[in-house]
Amino acid sequence: MLKSTSQNLTVLITGASVGLGAYLASSFSKSSMNVVINFHKGKKDADILVKKLSVNNNVISVKGDVSKFKDAKNIVNQTIKQFGRIDVLVNNAGIHL
């Protein structure tokens, strides 16, 4: 994981309300990073994860389908509005077939 220099860095994780994305969100938040949990479905899971991980409002969730440009743009804009920048992007979103 990242060293103490990770404090105040911001990570945006797509598809992060469950599974690997949720695990990564947990790991990054333990490194004192600002974490943005993107979800398309699963608002309840995202809300639970934010509540569990957030210290000093350093974890937020943003709904959006990253396959749609308008949603992807909104996710980025909401992240920048809240934390001022994106330092790490984890493209974790996927589909279940």
Side-chain angles (χ1 to χ4, degrees), residues 57-74:
N57 297 317
N58 70 319
V59 181
I60 64 168
S61 66
V62 180
K63 182 178 181 173
D65 180 348
V66 294
S67 71
K68 296 181 178 163
F69 179 78
K70 184 177 179 180
D71 284 4
K73 186 175 179 179
N74 181 58

Side-chain angles (χ1 to χ4, degrees), residues 22 29 44-45 93-94:
S29 72
K44 183 178 178 181
D45 292 327

